[in-house]
Amino acid sequence: MKTRSFLFLTFLVFTLSCLSFDYGISQSEEAKKNKFREREATDDALGYPNFDEDELLNTQCPRHLELSWQSEVSSSIYASPLIADINRYYDNPEHLKELGGIDIGKYVAGGIVVFNLDTKQVKWTAQLDLSTDTGDFRAYIYSSPTVADLDGDGNLDILVGTSFGLFYVLDHKGKTREKFPREMAEIQGGVVAADINDDGKIELVTADAHGNIAAWTPQGTEIWETHVKSLVPQSPSIGDVDGDGHTDIVVPTLSGNIYVLSGKDGSLVRPYPYRTHGRVMNQVLLVDLNKRGEKKKGLTIATTSFDGYLYLIDGPTSCADVVDIGETSYSMVLADNVDGGDDLDLIVTTMNGNAWRSPSQGRNNVAHRYNRQGIYVTPSSRAFRDEEGKNVWVEVEIVDRYRFPSGSQAPYNVTVSLLVPGNYQGERTIKQNHIFDRAGTHRIKIPTVGVRTAGTVLVEMVDKWTLFFR
């Protein structure tokens, strides 16, 4: 039986005897020699500019944004939940005596735990950082790990940054890869694995609390680095923002500036940065909001800011359309087809526990990552309809716009799942898996169930680098 392993973050607590570092120098000496830690996020102290609220709301852009409805779902919504395993061994007073009076509450440790969800057993653990709770750099892990096959061996590698300022790459057995960890300042967002310079290979992007953005090869060699002078709270987003055919990196910051950087060398893409009037604490969404048949290039940047507004920023021009939601948000704006039509809806959750939906005029097809690669269901198969018989056909299109010298990202491993609701007593998920060696349109036949019921079709794809598309 094939087993599956899933990643979970945990904070592990160790005794004082574990407090050792292999770097050969003290933390303070190390910080002095680290160019990333020497820099400061100076823009965060400048404050936010005054602005004319009426002028902001009346900005005329190619598309108009309006509030459709809101729903209170909880007291507050911060971000995606995190599943964690907390070691509570020393909560027992008898076990606490083993520490000889040491206050373990003064120490922080971070690591990776891999569980086998079939056997419910821990497969392996990897201890990463250990620090005191009062130091400048502490061993917390604020973001979920990223997984990707960096060396093409068929196994997923694990990428994670820590608030201790270290960027780790572990293999599928938990061993730290050669030349890692790499040192930066405190890392709060996740590590990005993507092709940022259009060579058809994966690069790694990290950002830290001092405003440093760095790109690395999977072997740990620095490709480029730049400084945006403000804390970066979330992972950068990747896509061809201005429609020039080259991949860009979009970085949100605590200062309210949204930077767009060239994936090739990290240089600033004009006319950015775009200045909001409050902190941008969420990862920004890059989405194609062009109408069907519209030839306009580029993507739209969708984000909230702590000034209480939702922004839709036109990628090529940086012209913004805004709506006053009057609340703050830590979570990423979502775009999906909520009502079954052909247009996208934007979903925003807030710190006050509200969920907002705003209809847009964007299309819900060819939503491929980086504006270069992905998979989508064709309009003829997307429509709500009744199906009879033992099978149903689903037509999908694989998009791969990589050019010479990188070429195709095939093979494409496509999984089509029929999700059946709870009134059906049989298997709730029916899957068909196919491997295609070329992009383009493909028809996939999936079996149906023997009773009249509703169902949803989910299409997913993994390319040769195990990058995931849905």
Side-chain angles (χ1 to χ4, degrees):
M1 178 179 66
K2 185 177 180 181
T3 61
R4 299 167 294 167
S5 297
F6 291 79
L7 290 176
F8 299 89
L9 278 180
T10 182
F11 298 114
L12 309 176
V13 180
F14 305 95
T15 64
L16 184 60
S17 61
C18 296
L19 187 57
S20 61
F21 302 91
D22 298 326
Y23 310 121
I25 53 178
S26 68
Q27 293 186 47
S28 59
E29 292 173 341
E30 177 187 354
K32 293 178 182 178
K33 297 183 179 181
N34 187 329
K35 64 181 178 182
F36 297 111
R37 295 184 179 181
E38 290 176 352
R39 298 169 177 161
E40 298 295 336
T42 54
D43 280 4
D44 293 346
L46 298 179
Y48 303 103
N50 296 323
F51 65 99
D52 187 321
E53 183 172 350
D54 292 334
E55 180 181 354
L56 180 65
L57 289 173
N58 292 328
T59 302
Q60 297 299 315
C61 282
R63 55 187 64 85
H64 182 66
L65 185 67
E66 62 181 17
L67 179 65
S68 177
W69 54 260
Q70 73 175 87
S71 174
E72 183 173 345
V73 295
S74 71
S75 58
S76 61
I77 301 172
Y78 287 86
S80 300
L82 176 68
I83 301 175
D85 174 43
I86 306 300
N87 186 347
R88 307 188 66 86
Y89 178 81
Y90 290 110
D91 284 356
N92 188 320
E94 294 299 320
H95 296 161
L96 191 60
K97 295 178 181 179
E98 300 174 9
L99 299 180
I102 295 174
D103 184 2
I104 63 173
K106 295 181 179 180
Y107 300 93
V108 177
I112 297 289
V113 179
V114 174
F115 288 88
N116 184 314
L117 293 188
D118 289 328
T119 64
K120 309 298 189 295
Q121 300 296 316
V122 174
K123 192 169 184 179
W124 54 259
T125 65
Q127 302 167 7
L128 301 182
D129 301 339
L130 178 64
S131 71
T132 65
D133 194 35
T134 57
D136 293 334
F137 296 93
R138 290 169 287 180
Y140 291 109
I141 301 177
Y142 291 121
S143 59
S144 299
T146 301
V147 293
D149 182 4
L150 299 181
D151 52 11
D153 65 354
N155 297 309
L156 294 177
D157 301 294
I158 303 161
L159 295 68
V160 66
T162 73
S163 64
F164 197 69
L166 297 180
F167 158 40
Y168 288 88
V169 175
L170 311 177
D171 65 18
H172 67 287
K173 295 182 179 180
K175 180 181 178 181
T176 302
R177 294 187 57 164
E178 186 179 357
K179 291 190 177 182
F180 290 94
R182 307 301 295 178
E183 301 175 43
M184 296 186 70
E186 177 182 346
I187 300 174
Q188 295 189 4
V191 179
V192 176
D195 176 17
I196 62 171
N197 56 10
D198 307 321
D199 63 353
K201 301 177 182 179
I202 291 180
E203 288 81 38
L204 313 177
V205 181
T206 52
D208 66 26
H210 287 195
N212 300 296
I213 317 295
W216 316 83
T217 68
Q219 293 73 37
T221 302
E222 182 183 300
I223 302 173
W224 54 258
E225 56 88 12
T226 190
H227 188 220
V228 297
K229 301 181 181 180
S230 180
L231 183 150
V232 181
Q234 296 287 351
S235 304
S237 300
I238 311 297
D240 182 7
V241 174
D242 54 5
D244 65 351
H246 300 290
T247 302
D248 305 308
I249 300 172
V250 185
V251 183
T253 66
L254 190 72
S255 66
N257 285 326
I258 299 174
Y259 289 85
V260 178
L261 308 176
S262 166
K264 182 178 180 180
D265 56 15
S267 59
L268 187 64
V269 175
R270 295 298 181 183
Y272 295 90
Y274 180 88
R275 180 96 164 141
T276 71
H277 306 283
R279 293 177 287 172
V280 180
M281 300 299 292
N282 56 274
Q283 185 179 11
V284 302
L285 171 70
L286 301 182
V287 61
D288 182 359
L289 293 184
N290 294 327
K291 297 179 181 179
R292 183 181 300 279
E294 190 175 6
K295 300 299 183 180
K296 186 177 179 180
K297 296 182 178 180
L299 300 172
T300 297
I301 301 172
T303 184
T304 58
S305 173
F306 267 45
D307 57 12
Y309 291 95
L310 168 65
Y311 289 80
L312 287 184
I313 306 169
D314 182 64
T317 65
S318 79
C319 177
D321 192 7
V322 300
V323 62
D324 184 1
I325 61 176
E327 301 179 47
T328 58
S329 175
Y330 277 96
S331 56
M332 185 178 184
V333 178
L334 299 180
D336 205 345
N337 182 351
V338 175
D339 56 8
D342 193 40
D343 293 338
L344 284 173
D345 301 290
L346 300 179
I347 310 299
V348 180
T349 55
T350 71
M351 287 288 292
N352 289 348
N354 291 320
W356 304 80
R357 170 190 172 231
S358 180
S360 77
Q361 299 176 352
R363 59 188 183 184
N364 195 15
N365 60 358
V366 202
H368 44 280
R369 195 185 299 176
Y370 320 135
N371 209 23
R372 181 163 289 123
Q373 183 185 5
I375 188 170
Y376 74 100
V377 180
T378 61
S380 60
S381 290
R382 285 191 58 85
F384 289 102
R385 63 192 188 277
D386 285 332
E387 291 283 352
E388 296 181 356
K390 297 181 179 180
N391 300 284
V392 59
W393 287 93
V394 177
E395 186 177 75
V396 302
E397 181 170 344
I398 298 173
V399 178
D400 189 346
R401 295 179 178 172
Y402 277 96
R403 299 163 295 187
F404 181 84
S406 60
S408 168
Q409 302 300 295
Y412 314 101
N413 191 332
V414 177
T415 300
V416 179
S417 303
L418 176 61
L419 309 179
V420 185
N423 62 339
Y424 176 62
Q425 301 302 314
E427 182 67 36
R428 299 288 179 81
T429 303
I430 301 173
K431 291 189 176 183
Q432 290 284 305
N433 184 264
H434 298 268
I435 296 178
F436 300 101
D437 58 4
R438 62 176 179 83
T441 302
H442 303 274
R443 298 185 74 220
I444 300 173
K445 183 170 68 173
I446 58 175
T448 59
V449 297
V451 298
R452 182 171 179 81
T453 184
T456 301
V457 175
L458 176 66
V459 178
E460 301 166 303
M461 183 183 77
V462 176
D463 71 2
K464 68 179 181 181
W465 299 108
T466 69
L467 292 182
F468 177 79
F469 304 87
R470 174 183 291 177

